[in-house]
Amino acid sequence: MSLTFTFDPPVTRDLRDGVLDLWTDVSNAGGSVGFVPPVTREDIRPELVRHLVGMAEGRTRLLVGHDEEGRVAATAFLALNAHRLMTHWLWLYTVMVHPRHQGRGYGRDLMTAAADAARTVEGIEAIRLTCRGGLGLERFYESCGYKEVGRVPGAIRVAPGDDRDDVFMLLPLT
């Protein structure tokens, strides 16, 4: 089976709860999505609310993948740039595939769907994202066509004595 992707889905209670559950499960499985396990839904809720506010204000857009049972299985948030000199590219944030679906190629499907979605946004020529070093994420994103364009050593502190690089990746769309 494959995931069914929707760009800019209606924000319903089921969608909000599904994204919150996904984010919690990914975080607790060690996913690099802004938190360090263990976390609860209540730990993540304020960050999800910030993403939803960005959506309501038109600054952020959501790509969601549902599995064959209709559950939220993957997400990526596409954030537009407010700076007038940088409106030709957007940020990709909170890229997640549920741990129960990993190893099936859904991450690559999500990245392809994100690039396809970005191409529908007027004036967008590239996608930027950052990832936490030390997990092999750079290799995954490179396999999806992204190129490493910068790195800040030790910029992410996941625990005392455990600093990771903040890696900047770029995917040209043109």
Side-chain angles (χ1 to χ4, degrees), residues 15-172:
L15 179 70
R16 285 190 317 262
D17 288 347
V19 173
L20 187 58
D21 289 341
L22 171 66
W23 205 338
T24 304
D25 291 347
V26 168
S27 295
N28 284 325
S32 176
V33 288
F35 295 90
V36 177
V39 295
T40 66
R41 294 179 70 194
E42 295 314 308
D43 295 327
I44 291 173
R45 186 179 308 276
E47 190 62 30
L48 175 58
V49 168
R50 280 189 278 281
H51 280 56
L52 295 172
V53 167
M55 290 170 58
E57 293 175 349
R59 297 178 288 111
T60 303
R61 299 176 71 178
L62 172 62
L63 174 68
V64 64
H66 287 90
D67 64 17
E68 59 277 358
E69 296 173 11
R71 294 180 296 187
V72 174
T75 62
F77 288 87
L78 291 77
L80 303 172
N81 280 297
H83 193 287
R84 66 188 161 278
L85 301 179
M86 297 183 190
T87 58
H88 60 289
W89 59 268
L90 55 74
W91 284 102
L92 192 62
Y93 287 110
T94 321
V95 177
M96 302 183 282
V97 173
H98 197 281
R100 74 176 162 266
H101 294 302
Q102 291 181 2
R104 298 182 186 178
Y106 292 168
R108 187 170 311 285
D109 293 346
L110 175 61
M111 297 306 293
T112 298
D116 291 345
R119 286 184 181 94
T120 70
V121 180
E122 186 176 344
I124 297 300
E125 300 172 10
I127 301 172
R128 284 177 61 179
L129 62 80
T130 64
C131 63
R132 184 185 304 170
L135 301 172
L137 296 171
E138 308 95 317
R139 289 188 303 281
F140 169 72
Y141 291 123
E142 285 172 351
S143 76
C144 294
Y146 285 75
K147 179 181 177 187
E148 182 177 329
V149 295
R151 182 179 288 257
V152 180
I156 301 169
R157 179 160 292 156
V158 294
D162 186 2
D163 294 348
R164 309 285 178 86
D165 293 355
D166 191 10
V167 182
F168 291 78
M169 310 287 294
L170 179 74
L171 177 70

